[in-house]
Amino acid sequence: MIASRTRSRAESSGGLSRRDLLRAALVGAGGVALGGALAGCAAPGAVGAGRTPVMIWDLFSGGDGALMQEMVGAVASANPDIAVESTTLAWGPPYYTKLAMASSGGRPPEAAVMHMSRLAGYAPGGLLEPFDLDALAQLGVREEHFAPAVWQKAQYDGQLYALPLDTHPYITFHNPTIIKDAGLARADGKLDLDAVTGADAFLAAGRAMSEVTGETGVGWGYQRDPAGCWRMFWGLYSQNGGEYELTPGRPAALDEEAAAEVFEFLQEMVDGTVAARNQDGNAAAARFMSQRTGMMFAGEWDLPMFRDALPDVGATQFPAIFDTPANYADSHAFVLPRQGQPDPAGREATYRVLAGLLKEGLTWASAGHIPAYQPIVEEPGYQELTPQRDYAPAAEIAVFDPDAWFTGGGSDFQNRMADAMTDTLAGKAPGRTAVTRMLSEMDRFLALPNPA
């Protein structure tokens, strides 16, 4: 059990207008100003007589954006009585601030994409509406169609507030030739997870790959990559049985021994042989793509980039460095922003569109994402996707960000956590220093008023 101390809770303001503005500002975890430039839009069908409009906001650019537009087009064609419009806004804190303000003002889109790691900052304050499980079931979307960890993260107060589109985990890419030469491959040429299970075995594997490459064995860039730092730490901390307490009005609490052990392992890993010292994410990726490392920690969304450089690139779930298999992940999910004037016909059409998009998951999977709607994963077409099928089990052991209004993708929380880790990862301070600094930063967030 994690012990905690008591602290008086800061109260949020009471006026409606002031409260809405506070909510919108703080949901960005640090008072980010309203922003989010329009990055692109598509309107597969214009609104006309007898056509119900459904607007969806998303944050997908590049290849992901093109795939989403393809999926929206397919769903629009299958539902000619619905005028579907998809608007893409710039990813980052401004997106979430804009969504909060639209919901507070009662004029939001019918649906929006959200990282599920941000759900705790929206559902408690009435910015979102829960899904009707019966209505989803009528469209062939039920709880049993999702990995338990993903479905649970989509809940708040016993209700479903997010409809998961995918699971996008932090995984292990590998170069098949290098792992074979290092003696780490199975008979079928894929990475032998047993050979990298446990801290000692993993470090030994890294050294074996470094002998093959003549440089380093593992690619991981932590400098100037706050998200990468946090994903690595939180995944390993979960593997090590770490718990947490982030309760407003109380100091933050972690299992400090478990957290320190994680940092001790990471310090051993970034020794200049297993992994490079003082390396950023771009340098780590460049080393991997130029075959100067045999393995790379990155998000599955980097698959298209790595496959361009290494057509036979392999990938698996995150290795079990500590006792409990766990894989840091997040999910893109659809949410229902609170409507100022609810429209039953519009809501029914929205459900049809969102269910249709889930069932277009094979298209989405081509970019590397694991479809959250498991019937897609079970399709023969998905099982032919390599290496996607090899890391799909990561969804079964997914661990998400801690539930707090200030955590999640694109938040200032991850920036602060990375800053707290920097000296330790650089070998300038012991592991416990990072833990102490992280707790201090968590306390700063908990001292702020919760906008919900």
Side-chain angles (χ1 to χ4, degrees), residues 9-13 22-23 26-27 248 405-406 444-452:
R9 179 175 181 170
E11 298 296 332
S12 59
S13 59
L22 178 63
R23 174 187 295 151
L26 290 179
V27 119
W405 66 265
F406 47 80
R444 292 176 187 270
F445 283 107
L446 290 170
L448 295 172
N450 186 338

Side-chain angles (χ1 to χ4, degrees), residues 79-445:
N79 295 274
D81 60 321
I82 303 174
V84 187
E85 184 173 355
S86 176
T87 297
T88 300
L89 298 158
W91 145 246
Y95 174 84
Y96 288 105
T97 305
K98 187 175 183 67
L99 180 59
M101 295 190 73
S103 296
S104 297
R107 296 177 60 85
E110 279 71 32
V113 171
M114 173 180 286
H115 287 84
M116 286 212 302
S117 58
R118 300 300 294 264
L119 190 62
Y122 286 74
L127 292 171
L128 306 176
E129 298 177 13
F131 282 88
D132 183 328
L133 297 185
D134 290 336
L136 289 175
Q138 291 175 8
L139 296 166
V141 178
R142 301 178 178 85
E143 178 179 354
E144 60 264 30
H145 295 143
F146 299 83
V150 177
W151 185 263
Q152 181 60 39
K153 184 65 177 179
Q155 309 281 320
Y156 169 71
D157 199 23
Q159 293 184 288
L160 186 75
Y161 274 85
L163 187 61
L165 171 64
D166 64 34
T167 306
H168 47 275
Y170 196 61
I171 60 172
T172 308
F173 291 94
H174 60 266
N175 183 312
T177 301
I178 293 175
I179 65 165
K180 180 180 178 181
D181 291 346
L184 304 174
R186 303 183 319 205
D188 61 3
K190 296 180 180 179
L191 176 66
D192 181 359
L193 281 173
D194 289 339
V196 291
T197 295
D200 290 341
F202 180 85
L203 294 172
R207 297 184 190 104
M209 287 184 286
S210 73
E211 291 180 6
V212 174
T213 65
E215 294 192 28
T216 54
V218 179
W220 181 54
Y222 67 88
Q223 288 192 334
R224 293 183 290 279
D225 187 0
C229 286
W230 173 251
R231 291 166 184 146
M232 177 69 84
F233 168 77
W234 196 246
L236 291 176
Y237 180 69
S238 299
Q239 288 190 358
N240 206 21
E243 298 179 355
Y244 72 92
E245 182 178 333
L246 294 178
T247 303
R250 297 182 181 181
L254 295 172
D255 183 332
E256 298 185 27
E257 186 67 28
E261 288 177 358
V262 168
F263 285 116
E264 288 165 5
F265 165 75
L266 291 176
Q267 285 182 320
E268 287 191 75
M269 187 177 79
V270 291
D271 64 350
T273 298
V274 177
R277 297 186 179 96
N278 304 320
Q279 184 172 237
D280 64 25
N282 290 334
R287 280 175 176 265
F288 179 67
M289 290 187 290
S290 60
Q291 305 191 59
R292 295 157 63 197
T293 64
M295 187 179 292
M296 174 77 192
F297 292 123
E300 47 76 18
W301 52 89
D302 283 329
L303 174 59
M305 176 179 70
F306 291 149
R307 191 158 48 194
D308 283 346
L310 303 169
D312 62 344
V313 67
T316 66
Q317 65 195 57
F318 205 95
I321 304 298
F322 294 100
D323 294 336
T324 304
N327 203 126
Y328 175 89
D330 205 339
S331 286
H332 296 116
F334 297 110
V335 294
L336 303 174
R338 186 184 67 190
Q339 300 292 324
Q341 297 180 335
D343 173 21
R347 183 50 49 86
E348 187 271 341
T350 300
Y351 275 54
R352 285 164 55 196
V353 169
L354 299 185
L357 289 172
L358 292 190
K359 295 175 184 181
E360 292 291 323
L362 191 58
T363 298
W364 196 237
S366 65
H369 310 303
I370 304 171
Y373 187 64
Q374 291 296 289
I376 301 297
V377 177
E378 297 163 4
E379 289 183 5
Y382 184 86
Q383 292 302 315
E384 294 174 0
L385 295 178
T386 303
Q388 289 93 320
R389 67 185 182 191
D390 298 324
Y391 60 76
E396 301 295 334
I397 55 172
V399 292
F400 295 85
D401 287 83
D403 288 322
W405 66 265
F406 47 80
T407 62
S411 67
D412 191 42
F413 174 79
Q414 293 184 352
N415 296 331
R416 302 277 189 89
M417 293 302 101
D419 287 345
M421 302 176 197
T422 299
D423 284 348
T424 292
L425 294 176
K428 299 177 181 178
R432 291 189 179 277
T433 297
V435 179
T436 299
R437 290 176 178 176
M438 290 171 68
L439 287 168
S440 177
E441 292 297 336
M442 290 177 180
D443 283 349
R444 292 176 187 270
F445 283 107

